[in-house]
Each structure stands twice: as C-alpha cells, then as structure tokens.
Amino acid sequence: MKLTVFGATGGVGSEVVEQALAAGHHVTAVVRDPSRLTAEGDLLEVVVAELSEHGALTEAVSGRDAVISALGARARRPTTVVTDGAHAALAALRSAGGRRLLLVSASGPFTDGDTFFTRTVVKPILGRVLRHAFADMVAAERVVRASDVDWTIVRPPRLLNGAHTGAIAARTDGNVRGSYRINRADVADYLLRAAADDSLIRQTVSIAQG
C-alpha cells in the first residue's frame, strides 16, 4: 500500500511507520519536527508541514491508498490536536480525491459494552482526569463521521510501550470487556490491517490486548 501517516513521530504513529516500512509499504510521514522521526528507508518519504498547510498536506495524501491520523495530545491541558488533524486530513483528501481515512481515538470517553463497574466508577474518574483529551477525541469522531470518506475509527484503551504481540481483541458493537490496555505496537498492527479491510469502512472499532 501507499500510506500517509499524520502524527508519525508519536507513540502510535512511529510504530505505524516502522511496521509499514517493514511490510514493504510506501510511507509518507507528515511531521512538524523531522529530527524526532527515527525511521528510515527507501520507501519512506518525509513531509514537514503544519496542519494548516493545506497545499503540502494535499500533496502528501495524493495518490495514497489510505491516510492514518495518529495524532494525540501530549499533556492534560485543553487541546484540539486530534480534531484539527481530522479536519486537515479530510480537507486534503477532498482536494486530492482520496477516500480512505483511519482515525485513532480512544475507548475512554465511551461506555458502550463496558461492565457496570467500569461504566459507573472507573470511567467517571478517568473522564475527569483526561477530560480535555477525551473532549478532543469525541469532537474529532463527530467530524469524521459527518464526512463522506471511507473512514474507520479505532478506539484503543490505555496505551503501553510493550512489544508487538499480535494478540488483539476487537469489537464494533462496544468496548472490549476484560482488557483495559494495549501496546502501541499492536495498535499499529491493527491499523495497517484495517487500512486494507473494506469491511471496516464506516465502522468504529474498539480494540484491546487479546
């Protein structure tokens, strides 16, 4: 595949880039600071651009099979980075005539499928601590769902830096029960598989460590 990754220097984004290159995909990494990008290879193209640079982003997504937006907040202050990334990716796709978009969100703001304890005790506490990031993700999902592209929203729980295991549980009808974490490497694995899976178009998928 030919892929464009927004947030390519972040925890999930960098894993997507590394795994995609290892699998022989062509990757366009959209970054603000190229010095933070550790991946390299003949199949890697680096585009240095802000989310506001529509022309550069349009060129970065043109002719690609899928765009993966793996942007995320780095602090607990008010943020719109995920929503801004969604807007920027959608605008670029429209200009380039592209269709496929995968958005990394989180299962935290949502309670469908959760146990009673998780829904009534854990999530309210988590929602207060991470309220700004969660609000951003909810808004970004709303933007993507309102679009006419072939989107897939992927909702992982707590992200860890463990090794790639390939053990991933997924649900399209609610959050995964009994597993509340996942390694970033496994999120990347799922995103790459989902990018080529037409059955996941216009689906919201919650994933967790299997």
Side-chain angles (χ1 to χ4, degrees):
M1 292 183 290
K2 293 182 178 179
L3 304 170
T4 297
V5 181
F6 287 25
T9 59
V12 172
S14 61
E15 287 284 352
V16 171
V17 173
E18 294 278 3
Q19 290 184 33
L21 292 173
H25 302 305
H26 181 281
V27 180
T28 301
V30 178
V31 301
R32 295 176 61 188
D33 180 3
S35 68
R36 297 182 60 242
L37 187 66
T38 58
E40 56 185 22
D42 294 339
L43 295 175
L44 176 65
E45 176 185 356
V46 180
V47 173
V48 181
E50 300 284 345
L51 293 177
S52 59
E53 295 183 62
H54 177 69
L57 297 184
T58 299
E59 186 174 347
V61 307
S62 181
R64 304 323 192 259
D65 296 301
V67 175
I68 298 174
S69 182
L71 293 160
R74 297 182 182 276
R76 293 180 180 177
R77 58 179 177 267
T79 179
T80 58
V81 65
V82 182
T83 307
D84 293 344
H87 278 299
L90 288 168
L93 283 168
R94 281 193 292 268
S95 294
R99 295 291 309 168
R100 194 76 172 100
L101 174 65
L102 294 96
L103 174 77
V104 179
S105 180
S107 62
F110 309 97
T111 59
D112 289 350
D114 285 339
T115 64
F116 177 79
F117 180 77
T118 299
R119 188 171 62 251
T120 60
V121 178
V122 177
K123 288 292 180 73
I125 295 172
L126 196 62
R128 286 194 293 272
V129 175
L130 300 175
R131 62 188 181 280
H132 298 305
F134 283 1
D136 185 22
M137 291 174 187
V138 169
E141 287 199 14
R142 190 178 302 119
V143 168
V144 169
R145 279 202 196 85
S147 73
D148 61 356
V149 303
D150 296 334
W151 54 262
T152 301
I153 295 170
V154 178
R155 294 174 174 173
R158 183 187 177 199
L159 297 171
L160 301 177
N161 287 324
H164 177 209
T165 70
I168 306 166
R171 285 183 64 182
T172 57
D173 60 345
N175 291 332
V176 176
R177 288 194 178 196
S179 182
Y180 307 105
R181 59 179 178 82
I182 190 169
N183 294 340
R184 290 177 172 87
D186 286 312
V187 177
D189 176 1
Y190 187 83
L191 287 165
L192 291 174
R193 287 189 279 132
D197 188 347
D198 288 349
S199 72
L200 294 176
I201 289 175
R202 303 189 76 80
Q203 294 285 333
T204 299
V205 190
S206 288
I207 62 174
Q209 212 73 59

